[in-house]
Amino acid sequence: NSTFPAAETAACRALIDLALREDLGEMGDLTTLAFIAAEQRGSASFVARGPGVLAGLPAARLVFQTFDAALEFAPLLADGTL
């Protein structure tokens, strides 16, 4: 379970807020609002298409928690795994 220190968490949250304001603006994602019911739930899997190092799990966790604090985030590998 990898986490950021407090200063890195604050910096990452600021970047998330900036990105969301740029991408969603004041109205949110209009396509999602029009076609997906608020109570609808989904799931996602991230799969690498080639070899590499897994990096960014603390940032990914913060992004997902920004949308829903109750969201389940269950990485199958540790940050830094080859």
Side-chain angles (χ1 to χ4, degrees), residues 14-77:
L15 287 173
I16 292 167
D17 290 342
L18 285 170
L20 290 176
R21 275 199 305 269
E22 179 185 331
D23 289 347
L24 303 178
E26 295 295 320
M27 302 206 41
D29 183 72
L30 298 178
T31 303
T32 299
L33 293 171
F35 294 105
I36 300 175
E39 66 277 357
Q40 187 171 350
R41 296 290 172 223
S43 65
S45 296
F46 295 89
V47 179
R49 291 191 273 169
V53 177
L54 178 60
L57 288 177
R61 181 183 305 276
L62 285 172
V63 169
F64 296 129
Q65 288 175 342
T66 298
F67 285 99
D68 185 349
L71 182 129
E72 180 183 342
F73 181 76
L76 301 178
L77 299 170

